[in-house]
Amino acid sequence: MKCIGCQLANKEVEAYVIYEDEWITCVLDIDPIQEGHTLILPKKHIEDLRQLNNELSQAIMNASIKISQALTKRYKPDGITVIQNNGIFNDLNHYHMHVFPRYLEDGFGWTEPNIEQSISLNEVKNKLIQCF
């Protein structure tokens, strides 16, 4: 059985499609943070950001721009949030990017972690550079 992300992206289950191309389908989120909250879903099964190729990455970014423009035109928000969750935070087990309008005082926010960072940014930079 295909995952729900594949089913949504390939219109095998009911979805509110607002945009699509050969690579992706964009659907309204059924549990939106704000009206217009959209998910960008690859038509091919991809679970993780690290599996994206250049063509699919470009299609996703192009769609995020188009959706942001449409949301701005329709809702006149104070801003747009574009976010993607990975690993255990990916509740669909299918890559998807969220795009939704934001408003001052809307209550949505970034929560800082409960742990303190004691390592210097230079040390972090050096650790990450070794991974490329």
Side-chain angles (χ1 to χ4, degrees):
M1 184 173 160
K2 284 186 180 176
C3 77
I4 188 66
C6 286
Q7 292 173 356
L8 288 165
N10 292 289
K11 299 185 276 186
E12 296 169 3
V13 295
E14 183 178 3
Y16 299 92
V17 177
I18 63 165
Y19 176 79
E20 74 176 307
D21 65 21
E22 67 181 287
W23 298 95
I24 53 92
T25 303
C26 303
V27 302
L28 294 177
D29 193 306
I30 62 168
D31 189 19
I33 291 173
Q34 292 289 349
E35 185 174 321
H37 182 164
T38 302
L39 302 178
I40 303 171
L41 299 151
K43 291 181 178 181
K44 177 182 174 189
H45 183 71
I46 303 279
E47 288 185 23
D48 192 275
L49 175 69
R50 295 165 289 193
Q51 297 171 318
L52 298 177
N53 62 32
N54 288 337
E55 292 85 5
L56 185 51
S57 299
Q58 191 62 53
I60 291 166
M61 287 310 299
N62 288 343
S64 73
I65 293 166
K66 288 177 189 282
I67 292 164
S68 295
Q69 291 169 335
L71 292 172
T72 299
K73 183 176 181 178
R74 175 55 56 202
Y75 296 106
K76 311 282 190 270
D78 296 315
I80 301 288
T81 290
V82 178
I83 192 168
Q84 189 275 323
N85 296 308
N86 217 303
I88 64 170
F89 305 103
N90 179 347
D91 55 352
L92 289 182
N93 295 319
H94 184 98
Y95 175 91
H96 59 289
M97 180 180 281
H98 299 261
V99 183
F100 54 93
R102 294 290 311 285
Y103 304 92
L104 192 63
E105 312 288 331
D106 66 10
F108 185 82
W110 189 285
T111 304
E112 296 297 325
N114 294 329
I115 59 170
E116 280 192 41
Q117 299 291 333
S118 60
I119 192 167
S120 78
L121 292 178
N122 198 47
E123 289 178 70
V124 173
K125 177 192 80 165
N126 291 333
K127 285 180 178 182
L128 288 174
I129 286 172
Q130 295 172 15
C131 296
F132 291 101

